[in-house]
Amino acid sequence: MRRNRVGVRRVGTSFPKIIQMTVSAVLAYWIAEQLLGHVDPIFAATSGLLVLGFGTATTVRRSMEVAIGCTLGVAVGDLLLTLLGSGLWQAALVLFLSLVIARFLDSGPIFSTQLGLQSVLVVLLPIGAAGPFSRSIDAVIGSLCGLLIMMVFPRDPRRTPTAELGKLLGELAGILHECGRAVSASDTTLAFHALVRARGTQQLLDSLPAALNMAREVATLAPAHRRHRSDLDRLKVAAEKTDLAVRNSRVLARRLTTVITQGSLTDQGVESVAGLLTELSEAVNALGYAVLETKESGYRRAVGRARRELAECAARLDPAALQVSGLQGEGMVLLLRPLVIDLLEATGTRHEEAVA
């Protein structure tokens, strides 16, 4: 049952891409057959299908790699077929030469695979009535159809980076909450767990820039989504500042273990610091909800709430006000300041205001 549910959910998520791939392949086939008079233009359909493909990594670069790989592979196959003829040894030689050419031209695995695959299919399949180089034209048509559909009917470019940033903020909120629990319970094990969780965010930190670059490509090329470029600029700033805040949380979690081990906080300090970390966790959660808001009005309300909560936390980051003294305890409180400043800037607050 679980497998069926996952499969249904996967189909639902991929449904727009399924429609795009179907339209691209059928359109390319129709153009090659009806407008150009090619018989069974299979390479038009396959190129139109492969250019789009599944997965979140369907970037303009990836699509161009597939398009050029398909087209060049068919062209190389046609050229070598004309010179060498068809047969098994010819197919082996064509595949070998195609892969050598592909690796010379580009380091991408997708480009190399498509070029080699298409060229060997050209040699193994019989030549059509329109002649060998008609298949190269078919490949060009299919590739152009795929690229055109990707540009005219792309998915919302904000979706992936928004989801990734929301996950990262959720993790940061969890890390701060665990730090608060560690202080409240004077438990170094909980502080270590918070540190491990903070280090475990590296994959999200690494994936965010790529997701933002992909989204920017789509928003730049797709007329339907150019209006979202300002949203992506805002997301980029929020992602960069959240990245810094997460890295600072690792430093904080490491310092906590020392503070707890040495008993550097008084009972009043434990209570105030634990409460502050819990409130900061809730403010980060509020920022995460704001990032996931799809409507501008909803985003403004949610980010305004997050900004107010973060500002309240920032105003309390004074060791004396928190009843914290001593080098270790004061150092831990001071470590929170750049973290909160980064989060305030993620809400759109100017640096000077955040510092103040």
Side-chain angles (χ1 to χ4, degrees), residues 285-341:
N285 265 328
L287 179 56
Y289 294 142
V291 165
L292 296 174
E293 276 286 347
T294 54
K295 294 183 179 179
E296 183 65 22
S297 58
Y299 171 78
R300 290 187 182 280
R301 285 195 301 271
V303 82
R305 175 193 164 195
R307 189 181 296 120
R308 288 191 299 272
E309 293 182 7
L310 286 167
E312 289 172 4
C313 292
R316 295 166 55 193
L317 288 175
D318 177 21
L322 292 170
Q323 297 181 302
V324 174
S325 60
L327 181 62
Q328 292 294 338
E330 290 181 359
M332 181 199 65
V333 174
L334 295 179
L335 282 174
L336 280 168
R337 290 184 176 181
L339 187 152
V340 177
I341 287 173

Side-chain angles (χ1 to χ4, degrees), residues 23 77 107 131 136 153 188 193 200 227 241 312 321 345 353 355:
V23 171
S107 61
S136 301
F153 303 107
T188 55
H193 287 167
R227 67 184 187 277
K241 298 304 178 181
E312 289 172 4
E345 290 186 59
E353 293 178 14
V355 171

Side-chain angles (χ1 to χ4, degrees), residues 60 150-152 154-155 157 212-230 232-233:
V60 174
M150 187 188 71
M151 292 169 60
V152 177
R155 60 182 291 171
L212 284 164
N213 288 337
M214 178 181 70
R216 189 68 187 181
E217 285 182 356
V218 174
T220 300
L221 294 174
H225 290 301
R226 285 181 183 170
R227 67 184 187 277
H228 296 318
R229 284 180 290 183
S230 60
L232 291 173
D233 290 337

Side-chain angles (χ1 to χ4, degrees), residues 58-87:
T58 310
T59 60
V60 174
R61 173 181 169 82
R62 177 195 176 281
S63 298
M64 288 297 295
E65 282 184 353
V66 175
I68 296 173
C70 287
T71 304
L72 191 58
V74 175
V76 168
D78 278 335
L79 178 62
L80 293 177
L81 179 64
T82 303
L83 297 175
L84 304 175
S86 59

Side-chain angles (χ1 to χ4, degrees), residues 76-147:
V76 168
D78 278 335
L79 178 62
L80 293 177
L81 179 64
T82 303
L83 297 175
L84 304 175
S86 59
L88 190 59
W89 73 268
Q90 289 93 335
L93 181 59
V94 166
L95 180 58
F96 174 78
L97 293 176
S98 298
L99 292 175
V100 169
I101 294 170
R103 298 307 291 172
F104 175 78
L105 294 176
D106 195 285
S107 61
I110 296 172
F111 178 83
S112 303
T113 302
Q114 292 302 328
L115 196 154
L117 176 63
Q118 297 292 344
S119 60
V120 76
L121 283 177
V122 166
V123 177
L124 293 177
L125 292 176
I127 301 174
F133 288 99
S134 64
R135 297 182 292 191
S136 301
I137 299 172
D138 293 342
V140 172
I141 293 169
S143 299
L144 291 177
C145 284
L147 291 171

